[in-house]
């Protein structure tokens, strides 16, 4: 039997659940001090560099951002995973979906280095309903709008 | 110290390693009695039906075939995995790559029900260098050639 005190404590915790779940979802993901598109892009660039330096794959990185919080990250792991589909953007989308427990990322942005994603990744972002893509244009970070089916 | 007999037995096993590795790779994957395009398509249809019946996702299935052996299989798991990218074809490509330990599936065919794959999946097959796609056309199974970038 639960004591009265225990029941009260349990009930009091209920409104906190979404917050706890969110904290868990973003657990262990690096966050920038100031959440700007450039800060998120720099994280994508870091992931790209770190991943390629250790031989995981080609130098591409991506982060998925929800309400200025990184909720998913990925880098090209096609070599290390022996998987031609392990591109940075698809890895980041899968990571965010897993952490958030939903395939609907319509309130999320995707930030990725190296220009426009390939057709596979942009269509993946389209299916995940990613709201907006932020891409690299030299040193700049540009708002490329929502992903399109087929990338065209 | 290894005995002389043990060393001889070990050396004798070396030429068998590729065979063992292949057997392991296809371990637990159902194989048709007679390896025809229709038999592989029927397996894809079964995976589609079984997966959707238990609520994993939409009714799509796919198998990856190498030398008439199924080396990877997948079905739509977008609901169960909370993942918009978990389409049957992409799941099957990832499964085959994992089992074979290579991202190069250039000696493999992909058999999938439900017509032409979406742009994400066909580009995934393109990156994996899938040699040929076999698609459904009503009750028929048609050779659709190699996958194209973007599916167009």
């Amino acid at each position: 039997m639960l004591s009265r005190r225990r029941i009260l404590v349990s009930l009091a915790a209920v409104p906190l659940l979404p917050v706890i779940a969110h904290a868990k979802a973003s657990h262990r993901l690096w966050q920038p001090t100031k959440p700007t598109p450039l800060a998120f892009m720099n994280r994508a660039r870091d992931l790209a560099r770190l991943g390629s330096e250790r031989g995981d794959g080609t130098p591409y990185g991506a982060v998925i951002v929800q309400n200025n919080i990184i909720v998913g990250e990925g880098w090209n792991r096609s070599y290390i995973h022996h998987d031609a589909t392990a591109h940075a953007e698809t890895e980041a989308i899968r990571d965010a979906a897993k952490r958030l427990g939903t395939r609907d990322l319509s309130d999320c942005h995707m930030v990725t280095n190296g220009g426009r994603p390939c057709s596979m990744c942009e269509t993946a972002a389209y299916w995940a309903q990613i709201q907006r893509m932020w891409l690299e244009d030299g040193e700049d970070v540009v708002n490329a709008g929502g992903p399109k089916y087929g990338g065209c």
Side-chain angles (χ1 to χ4, degrees), chain A:
Chain A
M1 288 282 287
L2 288 171
S3 70
R4 193 170 161 190
R5 187 180 145 76
R6 275 210 172 174
I7 292 168
L8 285 174
V9 168
S10 304
L11 287 175
V14 170
L16 289 174
L17 279 178
V19 179
I20 294 166
H22 190 273
K24 270 192 179 173
S26 59
H27 182 54
R28 282 189 296 181
L29 286 179
W30 177 91
Q31 303 294 336
T33 318
K34 204 176 165 190
T36 62
L38 180 60
F40 294 126
M41 180 60 80
N42 282 337
R43 178 58 178 166
R45 287 166 174 157
D46 282 347
L47 292 169
R49 186 177 45 79
L50 292 168
S52 68
E53 274 175 7
R54 66 181 192 197
D56 289 358
T58 47
Y60 297 101
V63 293
I64 308 295
V65 179
Q66 183 190 54
N67 300 324
N68 286 324
I69 302 284
I70 295 177
V71 293
E73 62 179 27
W75 58 95
N76 189 299
R77 294 188 187 94
S78 56
Y79 302 166
I80 191 85
H81 284 183
H82 304 298
D83 178 2
T85 76
H87 288 196
E89 300 90 332
T90 294
E91 292 281 286
I93 290 167
R94 287 183 166 238
D95 186 49
K98 194 174 173 186
R99 289 173 188 270
L100 298 174
T102 176
R103 66 182 191 279
D104 175 1
L105 304 179
S106 54
D107 55 353
C108 295
H109 291 196
M110 182 169 83
V111 187
T112 177
N113 78 319
R116 191 125 202 152
C118 82
S119 173
M120 175 184 76
C121 292
E122 188 160 339
T123 309
Y126 171 88
W127 289 132
Q129 302 180 65
I130 290 282
Q131 195 182 102
R132 187 174 298 177
M133 301 188 300
W134 295 87
L135 308 178
E136 238 181 2
D137 183 9
E139 286 303 303
D140 295 336
V141 183
V142 293
N143 172 355
K148 295 188 180 122
Y149 179 86
C152 47

